[in-house]
Amino acid sequence: MVIEVLRLGHRRKRDERLTTHVCLIARALGVDRVLVAEEDAELEKTIRSVVERFGGDFEIKTGVGYKTVMRNFKGTKVHLTMYGLPLKETITKIPKGDILVIVGSEKVPGEVYHMADLNIAVGSQPHSEAGALAIFLDRLTGGSWEEKKFDGGQMEVIPTAHGKGVRKK
Amino acid sequence: MVIEVLRLGHRRKRDERLTTHVCLIARALGVDRVLVAEEDAELEKTIRSVVERFGGDFEIKTGVGYKTVMRNFKGTKVHLTMYGLPLKETITKIPKGDILVIVGSEKVPGEVYHMADLNIAVGSQPHSEAGALAIFLDRLTGGSWEEKKFDGGQMEVIPTAHGKGVRKK
């Protein structure tokens, strides 16, 4: 199963940190690639630097155009939105196979709701696309991301009860 | 069980949106109150406006000072950090009762790691405090937040397969 995340409505500067968080969540939870609809070379650099330091083969591509990506994706397109159907009952309807998870920002074009196979609400309340993505991926993978190895890179964290530990790889 | 979230290292402007997301996640997942170490009247206004519109009794207080809050809290203090012990094995060690979940930003003072009863890593990878908080709360509550009612407020979302629906309360 390949999991990709498509981030919509990214505005440089204003969304810089939030989109970075979306990418970090995706990487930590085992997503293969994040596609950002709008171009942002700075964001690509930030994320590639994390991959260089901490390993794994996570990819990022910006400036992809959401319509093209959604039209060409062979697999299930899941749009996370507070207006969608409840997570608990809808996540069971996702067929096996590749998944494109679409997360917006404040304004998502109406056609995204129709191009998506499933519109899923991680709570029908004003929410955070970062938080919704994290919970969705955790549930989708059944928490298997916790066993994921990030090969390569320069360093790794040593889990510690009270303090910080890092070692060179 | 009362759940509170303490947000550290919030810088106005720079962290405005990320801290807003932390608050939205906390509210949507049934947290009772968010405490923000640093003062930010604008942030309080934003969050209170969400509560007014969408209901519930979620509270926010800023400018609380993290040491005072951590020292006075009667219950378990859980700090979410990529340097902590793995989520899966540590979450089972949280005793029943009230919980203070501490989430930092980029730089967390060293003493927070020692004042916390548990330092828990939602993945030992560079992560998002928003994503970590979302997964932690989902696991902690066993997903019971999905059944939560938000009484009062002016409107509510009508879960919809393809589109947006909102009704007045």
Side-chain angles (χ1 to χ4, degrees):
Chain A
M1 175 172 72
V2 169
I3 309 178
E4 299 196 348
V5 168
L6 172 61
R7 162 70 162 167
L8 305 179
H10 168 73
R11 290 153 299 177
R12 269 188 289 187
K13 298 289 171 207
R14 184 171 152 89
D15 293 325
E16 187 194 336
R17 298 191 58 224
L18 215 46
T19 303
T20 301
H21 278 237
V22 164
C23 293
L24 292 179
I25 289 166
R27 177 179 173 275
L29 275 86
V31 165
D32 298 278
R33 189 157 73 136
V34 165
L35 305 165
V36 180
E38 298 74 20
E39 201 169 330
D40 190 337
E42 210 45 50
L43 175 71
E44 292 194 7
K45 214 170 121 185
T46 304
I47 300 303
R48 286 193 187 119
S49 146
V50 171
V51 175
E52 257 170 51
R53 282 177 292 140
F54 289 92
D57 46 12
F58 181 74
E59 286 175 26
I60 178 168
K61 201 175 165 189
T62 73
V64 295
Y66 74 89
K67 283 188 203 178
T68 317
V69 172
M70 288 187 76
R71 257 195 227 110
N72 295 340
F73 188 78
K74 314 255 181 267
T76 308
K77 295 172 287 250
V78 176
H79 174 216
L80 302 182
T81 163
M82 68 183 275
Y83 299 104
L85 298 174
L87 175 64
K88 198 162 72 177
E89 49 198 72
T90 318
I91 199 164
T92 57
K93 292 180 184 154
I94 301 175
K96 281 190 181 167
D98 298 345
I99 294 180
L100 178 69
V101 189
I102 300 128
V103 288
S105 55
E106 279 164 39
K107 281 174 196 163
V108 171
E111 59 191 330
V112 169
Y113 292 80
H114 296 280
M115 291 176 80
D117 298 304
L118 292 167
N119 291 280
I120 297 186
V122 182
S124 300
Q125 292 292 323
H127 73 20
S128 153
E129 62 268 26
L133 178 66
I135 292 174
F136 176 78
L137 291 172
D138 187 36
R139 300 260 190 118
L140 181 74
T141 62
S144 65
W145 58 271
E146 283 192 80
E147 320 298 336
K148 184 177 165 70
K149 301 275 171 247
F150 289 82
D151 296 329
Q154 299 153 2
M155 56 174 134
E156 64 186 348
V157 166
I158 309 161
T160 304
H162 293 277
K164 290 186 187 187
V166 176
R167 70 180 148 228
K168 283 195 183 169
K169 269 186 173 175
Chain B
M1 176 172 71
V2 170
I3 310 178
E4 298 196 347
V5 168
L6 172 61
R7 162 70 162 167
L8 306 178
H10 168 73
R11 292 153 297 178
R12 268 187 289 186
K13 298 288 170 208
R14 184 171 152 88
D15 293 325
E16 187 194 336
R17 295 190 61 224
L18 215 47
T19 303
T20 301
H21 279 237
V22 164
C23 294
L24 292 179
I25 289 166
R27 177 180 172 275
L29 275 85
V31 165
D32 298 279
R33 188 158 74 139
V34 165
L35 306 164
V36 179
E38 298 73 20
E39 202 170 329
D40 190 338
E42 211 45 51
L43 175 71
E44 292 193 10
K45 213 169 123 186
T46 304
I47 299 303
R48 286 194 187 118
S49 145
V50 171
V51 175
E52 256 169 53
R53 283 176 291 139
F54 289 93
D57 47 11
F58 181 73
E59 286 175 25
I60 177 167
K61 199 175 166 190
T62 72
V64 295
Y66 74 90
K67 283 189 203 177
T68 316
V69 172
M70 288 186 76
R71 259 194 226 111
N72 295 341
F73 189 78
K74 314 256 180 266
T76 308
K77 295 172 285 248
V78 175
H79 174 216
L80 301 182
T81 163
M82 67 183 276
Y83 299 104
L85 298 175
L87 175 65
K88 197 163 72 178
E89 50 198 73
T90 318
I91 199 164
T92 58
K93 291 179 185 156
I94 300 176
K96 280 189 182 168
D98 298 344
I99 294 180
L100 178 69
V101 189
I102 301 128
V103 289
S105 55
E106 279 164 38
K107 280 173 195 163
V108 171
E111 60 192 329
V112 170
Y113 293 81
H114 296 280
M115 291 176 80
D117 298 305
L118 292 166
N119 290 279
I120 298 187
V122 182
S124 300
Q125 293 291 324
H127 73 21
S128 155
E129 61 268 26
L133 178 65
I135 291 173
F136 176 78
L137 291 173
D138 187 35
R139 298 261 190 117
L140 181 73
T141 61
S144 64
W145 58 272
E146 284 193 80
E147 319 298 337
K148 184 178 164 69
K149 300 275 171 249
F150 290 81
D151 295 329
Q154 299 152 0
M155 56 175 133
E156 65 186 348
V157 166
I158 309 160
T160 304
H162 294 277
K164 290 187 189 186
V166 176
R167 71 179 147 227
K168 281 194 184 171
K169 269 187 173 174

